[in-house]
Amino acid sequence: MAHGGRRWIAPTLAGLALAAFVACQREDPQIRALTEQAAQADEASQQLRQAWSAQFKRLALVGVRDLHLDASPMLLTPAQKRALEARIRIEQDSSRRGLLLEILDKEAELRTLSDRVMDLKAALPPPEIAQANDSHYGLAMRFLRGRGLSEEAARKTLSHVPLSARMAPGFEVYHFYVHDKYGTWVSQGGAALSPRELDRREPDPLPGQRDAAVAASRRLQKQLGVLEHQKRDIEREISGLQAEQLSILEGQARLQWENADQLARLNSLHYLVGVRAALEKEGIIKVPLFGLDHSGPSWRDAAFTRHLDLRTGTTLVIRAREVGLSRLAKVIVVPGSYTAGEHYRLTLSADGQSATVELLALPRFKNDKVVFAVED
C-alpha cells in the first residue's frame, strides 16, 4: 500500500525503512504480496524506461529515425533487426559497427526487461489511469464505493491507508481489495515524471498567486530593461573615464621622462671626441695660428652625442682605437677656457692607448659642451 518509492514500500524491496516494514505487518498477506509485486513492476518499468532512453540515443546515432521516445518503450521489429544485422556485415567503421552490435545486444536486454514487466503486471489487477484533476483519495474512494462500501466505511478504510498527495495524468493507480482490506500503489505509467520526482517538485501556486507572480515578473523585467540601459550608459561613461585616465597617465609618464631627460642634460657634460685635423675640417673647432683652439662655425648641440652624467660619474676615458689612431700623443680640451689642473686632470697611459680625463670643477662642466681633440 505504497507508491513511487515512498516510505511505506513493502519490506522485500531494497532500501526500505523499518516503519514501512512494521506497517506492512498489519496488512493482509495477499495485499502485501500484491503491493510488493506492484513495486517490483514499477521498478522494472523504470529500468526499462531508462534502458530504452539509452537505446533510443544509440539508434539515433546510427540513423534510425522512425522511432519515438515516449513512455512506452518500443522494441525492434524483426525487419529492423535484420536491417541492422545486414549493416553490421558491411560496416567498415569499427566504432559504428561496435555501436550497431551494442544496439542488438541491448535489444535482448530490453526484451528481457519488457518480459519481466509484463509477467509482473500479469498477476496484478489492471491499473486505473489517472486523468487531469484526479486525486489519489478520490480514485480510492470511487474504487471502494464501487465495491459496495458506504461513504463512511470507505472514509474509515482510507484513514488507515497512506495516499499520494499529488497526482499527474498518466499515473497508474493499483487498487487491492482482499478480505475487506484495501491497499494501493501508484506507478509512473505514461506520465513524464515518476511519483517520487513529482513529490520533489514545488507545488504550483494558486491561480491568483500565479497571476500576481507573472505580473511581478513583467514589472521586474521592465525594471531590468531600464537598469540594463543605465548599465550600458554607465559602462560607456566608465570606458570614457578610463580612456581619459589612460591618456593622463601616458601624459604624466611622458612628462616624467622629459623631466628626467632634461634633468640629466642639465647635470651632464656633453662632449665630442675626434681627431683634431678632422674636427677642424668639419668646422667643429677652429685652430688659430696663435692662441688656443676655440669653437668653429659647425659647433652645434647635435654634434655632441656623448654625455657624462655628473651626478654619477666624474671621469671619462678616451681610447685611441675609438678615433682610428694607433696611439694618443696629445689631447686638447676645447674651449681653451678650461684649465688643466684647475678644472680637469688629464692622464695619458704609458702605451698611448688611452687618456683619462678627471673632472675637478663639476659645476663648471654642468650642461656644457666640450671637445676633446686628439693627435697621434
Side-chain angles (χ1 to χ4, degrees), residues 312-331:
T312 57
T314 60
T315 302
L316 59 90
V317 179
I318 301 170
R319 303 186 187 281
R321 65 173 180 272
E322 293 178 0
V323 292
L325 300 179
S326 59
R327 61 189 306 276
L328 299 177
K330 187 177 182 181
V331 178

Side-chain angles (χ1 to χ4, degrees), residues 248-268:
I248 291 173
L249 291 175
E250 290 176 348
Q252 289 176 342
R254 185 168 55 254
L255 287 174
Q256 289 174 351
W257 180 86
E258 291 174 353
N259 289 339
D261 180 66
Q262 186 65 23
L263 188 60
R265 292 184 65 83
L266 292 173
N267 286 277
S268 295

Side-chain angles (χ1 to χ4, degrees), residues 187-204:
S187 298
Q188 179 173 348
L193 298 173
S194 70
R196 183 185 296 109
E197 292 169 334
L198 182 62
D199 284 344
R200 288 200 296 262
R201 286 198 169 188
E202 292 294 330
D204 291 334

Side-chain angles (χ1 to χ4, degrees), residues 126-313:
E128 185 174 5
I129 308 302
Q131 305 299 320
N133 300 320
D134 278 344
S135 68
H136 197 183
Y137 182 88
L139 295 176
M141 177 65 75
R142 186 171 63 191
F143 174 83
L144 291 175
R145 293 299 302 276
R147 293 297 182 274
L149 273 71
S150 66
E151 184 170 348
E152 182 180 354
R155 289 181 185 277
K156 184 176 180 181
T157 299
L158 292 181
S159 66
H160 303 291
V161 179
L163 299 174
S164 295
R166 304 175 67 186
M167 296 286 287
F171 277 1
E172 294 179 346
V173 182
Y174 289 92
H175 302 287
F176 312 124
Y177 192 66
V178 179
H179 303 145
D180 297 328
K181 301 291 184 181
Y182 174 75
T184 183
W185 181 272
V186 179
S187 298
Q188 179 173 348
L193 298 173
S194 70
R196 183 185 296 109
E197 292 169 334
L198 182 62
D199 284 344
R200 288 200 296 262
R201 286 198 169 188
E202 292 294 330
D204 291 334
L206 295 175
Q209 294 174 328
R210 182 167 57 246
D211 294 343
V214 170
S217 174
R218 289 173 179 169
R219 287 196 302 272
L220 290 174
Q221 287 292 335
K222 185 176 181 180
Q223 293 173 5
L224 180 61
V226 174
L227 291 174
E228 288 286 352
H229 181 73
Q230 293 176 349
K231 177 185 174 184
R232 288 192 293 270
D233 290 342
I234 292 172
E235 286 176 343
R236 282 194 294 268
E237 185 176 352
I238 290 174
S239 296
L241 291 174
Q242 288 175 337
E244 184 178 350
Q245 181 187 33
L246 180 61
S247 177
I248 291 173
L249 291 175
E250 290 176 348
Q252 289 176 342
R254 185 168 55 254
L255 287 174
Q256 289 174 351
W257 180 86
E258 291 174 353
N259 289 339
D261 180 66
Q262 186 65 23
L263 188 60
R265 292 184 65 83
L266 292 173
N267 286 277
S268 295
L269 167 66
H270 312 286
Y271 66 97
L272 174 64
V273 178
V275 178
R276 186 183 186 196
L279 292 171
E280 181 183 19
K281 184 177 181 181
E282 293 173 11
I284 302 295
I285 64 173
K286 190 171 183 179
V287 180
L289 292 176
F290 302 100
L292 301 174
D293 294 358
H294 54 84
S295 59
S298 298
W299 183 285
R300 298 185 179 88
D301 291 347
F304 295 83
T305 57
R306 301 177 69 174
H307 315 280
L308 175 63
D309 192 335
L310 301 178
R311 295 172 298 180
T312 57

Side-chain angles (χ1 to χ4, degrees), residues 67-81:
L67 299 175
H68 302 282
L69 182 61
D70 52 31
S72 302
M74 298 173 61
L75 299 175
L76 297 177
T77 64
Q80 289 171 331
K81 286 187 65 175

Side-chain angles (χ1 to χ4, degrees), residues 92-108:
Q92 301 296 321
D93 188 327
S94 59
S95 62
R96 287 179 64 83
R97 191 171 186 275
L99 184 57
L100 290 167
L101 288 170
E102 185 179 3
I103 289 172
L104 292 178
D105 289 342
K106 294 298 180 180
E107 173 69 11

